[in-house]
Amino acid sequence: MKKLQTIQDVVTFINENHLVFLYVSQENCSVCHALRPKLTELLKHYPKIKLREVEADKVKAISAEYLIFSAPTLLFFVDGKEYLREGKFVQFEKLANSIEQVYSFKESQI
């Protein structure tokens, strides 16, 4: 998974893509390391969603800009607006259903 290194990279990435998924993690977070492969696998079914990781301990401004208080935090943006937010204990079936609803609608428009 590619990583964004600055808050400006994050803002630009969100604004330049229709469907964006940000995975906000921290280096010493065991839950973060466990969720990453599950999220990557899930998003393989949605090739138009652009996925990037942001390490909150390296890009400290991410917390203030997007009100992130814990890791991992999963953010799904549609046309630059936050549509979905999940943290720590992610229910992947629920997440997949939410993504599917947006994806099937947006896919016809992109």
Side-chain angles (χ1 to χ4, degrees):
M1 181 182 318
K2 293 181 183 177
K3 295 181 182 182
L4 299 172
Q5 303 297 328
T6 68
I7 193 64
Q8 187 57 48
D9 290 345
V10 173
V11 172
T12 301
F13 183 70
I14 291 169
N15 290 332
E16 289 182 352
N17 295 285
H18 293 288
L19 300 171
V20 169
F21 211 102
L22 288 183
Y23 184 66
V24 182
S25 66
Q26 289 189 343
E27 188 174 340
N28 295 323
C29 169
S30 60
V31 176
C32 298
H33 297 296
L35 285 183
R36 184 182 297 119
K38 291 180 182 180
L39 180 62
T40 303
E41 187 63 32
L42 172 64
L43 292 181
K44 285 181 181 177
H45 301 285
Y46 306 100
K48 293 182 181 175
I49 297 176
K50 307 291 185 187
L51 171 64
R52 294 293 183 273
E53 182 174 0
V54 181
E55 292 179 330
D57 40 351
K58 293 182 181 169
V59 184
K60 296 190 185 308
I62 191 85
S63 299
E65 186 73 25
Y66 295 100
L67 301 175
I68 296 171
F69 302 109
S70 65
T73 297
L74 291 68
L75 300 172
F76 183 37
F77 292 85
V78 178
D79 294 326
K81 300 203 179 349
E82 184 179 323
Y83 176 78
L84 180 80
R85 176 183 291 247
E86 292 286 334
K88 282 215 190 262
F89 305 106
V90 179
Q91 297 177 14
F92 273 87
E93 187 174 326
K94 179 183 168 193
L95 178 63
N97 290 337
S98 297
I99 292 171
E100 180 63 37
Q101 287 177 341
V102 172
Y103 193 83
S104 59
F105 177 74
K106 291 298 288 181
E107 189 174 33
S108 63
Q109 297 179 347
I110 298 174

